Amino acid sequence: MIKLFLKTALRNFKRNPLNTAINILGLALGFTVALVSTLWVLKQFSFDKHYSNYRHIYQVMMTGTFNNEKSTDRSTPIPLVKTIASDFKNEMPDAALVTNMESNNIKVGDKKLNAPGFYAMGKFAELFSFESSQGNSTTPNTPSTIIVSESLAKRLFDKTDVIGKTLQLNGKEQYTIQGVYKDIPENNTFYGLDYVLPFVDYLAKNQDIEESWSNCYFSTFARIDNPAFVSSLENKLTNIINKKLTDIKPEILLHPMSKWHLYDSFKNGKNVGGQIQYVWMFAWISVFIILLASINFINLSTARSLKRGKEIGVLKSVGVNRRQLIAGFLVESTLAVCGAFLIAVLLATLLLPWINTITNTTLHVPFTSIQFYLYSFLGIFSVGILAGIYPALFLSSFNPILALKGKMNIGKRGFNTRKGMVIVQFAISIFLMIATYLVIKQLHYTKDRPIGYKSSNLVNITSSNPTIVKNFDVLRKELIEQRLIQDAALSSNFVNRLSLTGGGFNWQGNDSKDGAIMGIFTVDDNFAETVQWNFIKGRNFSKDYKTDSTGVILNEAAARFMGVTDLNSKQLSRAGIDYHIVGIIKNTLSESPFKSITPTAYFLKFLPKNKITLQLNEGQDLKQDLKAIATTFNRIDPDLTFDYAFTDQEYAREFQQMEMIKSLTSIFTGLAILISCLGLYALVAFLTEQREKEIGIRKVLGASELGLWRLLCTEYVWLTLIGFLVAAPLAYLLMESWLENYVYRISITWTVFAATGLTALVITLLTVSYQAIKATWANPVKTLRSE
């Protein structure tokens, strides 16, 4: 019997090539989306899961209040981790603290390169299960020792057996390698970390920072074996830090590792999701697209039932019962699904290199995994049954006598069911169109946000070291004289990166014991001209004013935070030093463009200035200029590895995730529309064929071609409008909820729905019109000849 079913299915496929091609192509496109989406979703859920302490590691985060708005940050002070280590040994047995990851110059012999790393305190490597490859890969705690990754060891020494060897950091510091650890996987929070330095070396360079509660520059992690302790620990730690930082009313949050990657967004002190929103979004999109393809299959199978009536009648007349007919139709649908899945695997394999570029990850079809084949079989079987069960039940219910006479009556119920499924198709497609339109609009709106400085031809030199900084004035003068740059400046960080915040700031009207926390930048007097700040009030720092050594420039957010009305209304003070306000600048985007602006103060003397920013000349050969600039840098310091980044390119990376969401939703929406159009085209082609004689009679009786076109299209226009009315309110509610996660966001207006509704209507008319016009132009003599 199975052999008969297979032969019948293959004959039916050959007999109806257009129907078969559309069915299989629609299913294949649906499976391709589902397969790619599933691989990406599984990748997101796999983050950090290889750690042995995965369920017990927490990051200590702090929520503070700025301008009556709560802001949650991963930065914490050193005394907090020391308090955890001393007072909470039982509840939090392991704790660690690290500085920000930064790229530094490393030299071994004649080899020079840049690599990212940080300083660590406590049992960082042990807490995060670093796998030792050579030597002792525990967190270094002896001065001038270091642990390095396997890949860094190979790049420096061409081997991993490097224990006891030395390397030079930033042109002068010598470090002895005590251990080599295995490279950290891609799906990991610390992916790309090439070395870890002892925290004692950091403290030796920053002696006043160890006991400061207001210098929140560090990331703190802890192990908590019993999750029941989390709430009480948050309260206890909040009480402790509240006594130290009274002005911002800090609250401690213990964020579990299981949520670091997928639940990384906070708004007003509350977790509002993050990447998980996109994970579920793409999961649901893949489900919707599979549903679209299945609806196509069901609609086309039931619509062509009249042409299979005699086949069913013959089978029933020779003794094939209904159960066997149903089994046959299910075999046919499962065979079509199997063929579609094989095509989808081929398409996904070809598309994944391109998808990996869009998503900035490495996805691949797991051909070596037994689970892949098991889940594929279950998916094919499930979709085959679900997509084929309704047509099987519908077609097997025909009366054999009427079927052989060609007089089956599909009935209103069958037509209404098919209309309902077409409405679902339209609703899904229109929903995806609205969502994609809003994602693109939000992306462009944020990209157009004023950044407060000129980013074009602005270059961050990421490889500066003490020798370069010491000779900066000579270097700047030489580069300007060679007409390689417009200007250059020194600062504690780059204009597009606010990495440090600190407390202890007071002013008239704010005399709390420990002061407020603000963003901190130290700049030289060339910085404003180099990045082209926009001054609202006052002026830039100047060598002509000796008092500028105790001057401060505020951004708009800081001026509003302090309640500054004019430059002389208030002074900013910290650690017994009064800073007079020199100027106020427009807000600069130094953090995520999706966040609110941090109140920030800019000083001439506060933090070490070790970052160099260059403003290149416009209209020149940038490649040649940078090559000449590198030569000048290396003449001053031959050990330097010249490394740089364009500020506008780094800013563009802030939109990587949104660009990825835009690209994938656009692709998936396009495929959804294509699948819907394929199904609608085939369905209209068949139903128009069934109405050939009706159209012929109408033409004979004087119906115009325009009237016939309107007759054939009107039904599908109404179905499109009903689908729009279903999709529009759902899209509004869900996308409004999504947009609430952004501080800087668009508003949803009626034009969005008007544009997408009109587009959907045009697509429907274009899809239906070809068959409608073809039918109205047909010669009625030919269509009525059999009568």
Side-chain angles (χ1 to χ4, degrees):
M1 186 62 72
I2 294 294
K3 188 176 180 181
L4 174 64
F5 291 155
L6 290 172
K7 285 184 176 179
T8 304
L10 291 173
R11 287 194 193 108
N12 188 57
F13 291 159
K14 290 179 182 178
R15 197 181 304 130
N16 303 290
L18 178 63
N19 180 53
T20 301
I22 289 177
N23 256 348
I24 291 179
L25 179 59
L27 285 169
L29 292 174
F31 275 132
T32 303
V33 171
L35 185 56
V36 170
S37 179
T38 300
L39 291 173
W40 185 79
V41 167
L42 291 175
K43 184 84 169 184
Q44 305 313 304
F45 277 114
S46 71
F47 262 72
D48 294 324
K49 284 192 174 178
H50 67 283
Y51 289 126
S52 58
N53 292 318
Y54 172 72
R55 298 190 180 279
H56 304 292
I57 298 178
Y58 291 76
Q59 181 162 18
V60 182
M61 302 177 67
M62 187 167 66
T63 298
T65 302
F66 300 90
N67 289 334
N68 296 318
E69 180 181 325
K70 289 186 176 181
S71 176
T72 302
D73 198 86
R74 289 164 176 78
S75 298
T76 52
I78 295 174
L80 184 62
V81 73
K82 293 173 72 175
T83 300
I84 290 171
S86 61
D87 299 348
F88 296 90
K89 291 180 181 178
N90 295 329
E91 302 97 324
M92 307 168 82
D94 289 326
L97 176 143
V98 299
T99 59
N100 291 322
M101 192 185 300
E102 287 192 349
S103 184
N104 287 292
N105 286 300
I106 298 178
K107 181 182 178 185
V108 173
D110 295 330
K111 287 190 177 179
K112 298 183 294 181
L113 53 82
N114 282 322
F118 51 51
Y119 296 89
M121 171 195 283
K123 296 184 178 181
F124 171 78
E126 298 88 326
L127 189 63
F128 288 94
S129 312
F130 275 36
E131 293 184 57
S132 181
S133 175
Q134 296 282 335
N136 177 15
S137 294
T138 58
T139 309
N141 52 34
T142 304
S144 300
T145 58
I146 188 173
I147 59 173
V148 299
S149 66
E150 281 187 326
S151 59
L152 181 61
K154 289 175 182 176
R155 280 182 285 160
L156 290 172
F157 301 96
D158 298 319
K159 59 182 180 178
T160 59
D161 186 13
V162 295
I163 305 305
K165 295 187 179 295
T166 60
L167 55 83
Q168 182 177 294
L169 192 71
N170 287 334
K172 63 174 184 178
E173 302 169 62
Q174 298 290 327
Y175 280 88
T176 302
I177 299 174
Q178 74 170 37
V180 178
Y181 57 87
K182 292 184 178 179
D183 288 347
I184 297 172
E186 179 189 36
N187 54 340
N188 188 291
T189 298
F190 298 104
Y191 173 66
L193 179 68
D194 271 332
Y195 59 87
V196 178
L197 300 166
F199 204 75
V200 289
D201 286 358
Y202 180 86
L203 293 177
K205 300 174 188 175
N206 303 272
Q207 296 180 358
D208 298 330
I209 208 168
E210 188 172 5
E211 303 303 325
S212 172
W213 285 87
S214 60
N215 289 320
C216 303
Y217 306 157
F218 312 96
S219 298
T220 300
F221 308 95
R223 194 185 96 217
I224 303 174
D225 294 328
N226 189 345
F229 292 158
V230 170
S231 181
S232 64
L233 286 170
E234 287 177 336
N235 291 331
K236 290 177 182 177
L237 291 171
T238 296
N239 290 334
I240 290 171
I241 202 165
N242 249 316
K243 295 174 183 177
K244 305 296 181 180
L245 300 171
T246 56
D247 188 63
I248 63 167
K249 301 174 184 177
E251 300 171 26
I252 293 297
L253 169 70
L254 297 174
H255 197 45
M257 179 182 275
S258 58
K259 294 186 176 182
W260 289 359
H261 180 65
L262 296 177
Y263 298 85
D264 60 343
S265 294
F266 295 84
K267 185 178 180 182
N268 205 25
K270 302 292 182 183
N271 188 284
V272 291
Q275 187 86 343
I276 189 65
Q277 295 171 316
Y278 305 121
V279 169
W280 288 121
M281 182 175 75
F282 289 128
W284 278 111
I285 285 175
S286 63
V287 170
F288 286 153
I289 292 180
I290 286 289
L291 180 60
L292 287 177
S294 299
I295 287 173
N296 276 354
F297 186 92
I298 294 168
N299 272 341
L300 294 178
S301 297
T302 53
R304 300 197 72 87
S305 58
L306 286 173
K307 288 201 170 184
R308 299 193 66 180
K310 292 183 179 180
E311 172 196 336
I312 296 164
V314 170
L315 289 172
K316 281 195 169 185
S317 65
V318 297
V320 178
N321 59 40
R322 190 180 184 192
R323 183 181 296 176
Q324 291 170 323
L325 279 173
I326 291 172
F329 285 122
L330 291 178
V331 167
E332 185 176 317
S333 68
T334 304
L335 194 63
V337 170
C338 185
F341 183 78
L342 293 176
I343 295 172
V345 171
L346 176 62
L347 287 174
T349 304
L350 295 173
L351 289 173
L352 277 178
W354 179 50
I355 296 294
N356 286 338
T357 303
I358 293 173
T359 59
N360 196 32
T361 187
T362 52
L363 304 176
H364 62 277
V365 181
F367 291 114
T368 58
S369 170
I370 296 175
Q371 286 183 321
F372 169 70
Y373 296 100
L374 176 63
Y375 288 127
S376 297
F377 173 77
L378 290 174
I380 291 169
F381 181 76
S382 300
V383 175
I385 297 299
L386 292 172
I389 192 66
Y390 176 76
L393 292 171
F394 180 77
L395 297 174
S396 63
S397 66
F398 290 163
N399 184 304
I401 296 174
L402 295 176
L404 287 169
K405 290 181 179 180
K407 296 182 179 179
M408 293 97 62
N409 181 17
I410 296 176
K412 277 189 175 182
R413 186 176 177 183
F415 283 119
N416 288 337
T417 302
R418 190 159 56 248
K419 285 180 183 178
M421 289 190 285
V422 170
I423 288 171
V424 171
Q425 279 189 309
F426 285 140
I428 292 172
S429 299
I430 292 168
F431 175 87
L432 292 175
M433 287 168 65
I434 294 170
T436 303
Y437 183 94
L438 290 172
V439 167
I440 293 172
K441 195 174 179 183
Q442 172 66 22
L443 176 62
H444 288 299
Y445 181 74
T446 313
K447 275 189 169 182
D448 293 337
R449 184 179 185 179
I451 61 174
Y453 58 91
K454 184 182 177 183
S455 62
S456 60
N457 290 337
L458 200 64
V459 177
N460 297 336
I461 306 300
T462 58
S463 55
S464 57
N465 62 32
T467 304
I468 293 292
V469 172
K470 184 179 179 181
N471 294 278
F472 173 74
D473 289 337
V474 174
L475 176 69
R476 174 177 173 270
K477 184 179 179 182
E478 188 173 339
L479 292 175
I480 292 174
E481 287 176 351
Q482 294 178 35
R483 301 184 61 80
L484 295 173
I485 64 171
Q486 287 187 30
D487 211 336
L490 272 176
S491 57
S492 59
N493 220 323
F494 302 117
V495 65
N496 59 320
R497 296 183 197 169
L498 174 62
S499 60
L500 295 180
T501 55
F505 290 103
N506 282 297
W507 55 87
Q508 292 87 336
N510 180 70
D511 298 317
S512 59
K513 180 182 176 182
D514 295 289
I517 290 180
M518 298 175 70
I520 302 170
F521 262 97
T522 306
V523 298
D524 66 7
D525 54 327
N526 304 308
F527 192 80
E529 186 64 29
T530 301
V531 303
Q532 297 186 24
W533 270 345
N534 296 308
F535 278 86
I536 299 172
K537 293 180 181 180
R539 58 174 176 81
N540 184 28
F541 294 120
S542 172
K543 290 185 175 69
D544 296 334
Y545 296 90
K546 293 182 180 180
T547 56
D548 278 4
S549 60
T550 56
V552 62
I553 294 175
L554 305 176
N555 67 355
E556 287 178 276
R560 191 166 55 252
F561 184 37
M562 293 173 58
V564 174
T565 54
D566 61 73
L567 299 182
N568 298 316
S569 63
K570 293 186 179 183
Q571 284 189 330
L572 186 67
S573 62
R574 188 180 188 274
I577 302 174
D578 292 329
Y579 296 90
H580 63 280
I581 301 171
V582 173
I584 299 173
I585 61 168
K586 285 189 176 182
N587 288 328
T588 60
L589 275 180
S590 301
E591 298 176 275
S592 168
F594 303 101
K595 290 178 59 178
S596 54
I597 303 293
T598 300
T600 305
Y602 299 84
F603 303 89
L604 270 179
K605 295 181 179 180
F606 201 101
L607 300 170
K609 296 190 287 281
N610 53 11
K611 307 294 183 185
I612 294 177
T613 302
L614 306 179
Q615 180 64 254
L616 304 182
N617 287 312
E618 293 184 2
Q620 296 186 183
D621 189 331
L622 294 183
K623 189 175 180 180
Q624 289 299 322
D625 282 358
L626 286 167
K627 188 175 180 180
I629 291 169
T631 301
T632 305
F633 269 74
N634 283 125
R635 187 166 62 251
I636 293 174
D637 185 357
D639 292 334
L640 179 76
T641 304
F642 184 74
D643 198 15
Y644 62 90
F646 284 96
T647 305
D648 53 1
Q649 291 178 0
E650 289 196 330
Y651 181 69
R653 290 193 193 101
E654 295 285 349
F655 298 95
Q656 252 182 359
Q657 186 183 66
M658 279 290 287
E659 288 283 4
M660 182 264 291
I661 301 304
K662 182 199 80 170
S663 299
L664 290 184
T665 51
S666 299
I667 293 167
F668 292 166
T669 299
L671 289 174
I673 293 170
L674 177 59
I675 292 169
S676 296
C677 290
L678 283 172
L680 186 61
Y681 176 84
L683 184 63
V684 171
F686 176 76
L687 294 179
T688 303
E689 182 184 338
Q690 299 301 306
R691 300 179 70 177
E692 279 182 344
K693 291 182 176 60
E694 176 196 340
I695 293 168
I697 293 170
R698 286 178 181 271
K699 288 192 74 173
V700 170
L701 294 175
S704 67
E705 291 179 349
L706 179 61
L708 289 171
W709 173 82
R710 188 167 59 246
L711 173 71
L712 294 171
C713 291
T714 299
E715 179 181 1
Y716 297 100
V717 169
W718 279 110
L719 294 179
T720 304
L721 291 174
I722 294 170
F724 173 79
L725 292 174
V726 172
L730 289 174
Y732 176 82
L733 292 172
L734 290 174
M735 294 309 292
E736 180 67 25
S737 175
W738 175 70
L739 287 169
E740 283 179 359
N741 296 321
Y742 296 100
V743 174
Y744 194 79
R745 51 155 290 183
I746 60 170
S747 297
I748 302 177
T749 61
W750 65 270
T751 55
V752 174
F753 302 99
T756 50
L758 184 62
T759 303
L761 200 58
V762 170
I763 291 171
T764 300
L765 286 173
L766 289 174
T767 305
V768 174
S769 289
Y770 174 76
Q771 291 297 338
I773 293 170
K774 182 180 175 184
T776 59
W777 284 356
N779 189 340
V781 175
K782 291 183 179 180
T783 57
L784 296 173
R785 184 177 294 164
S786 61
E787 297 294 321

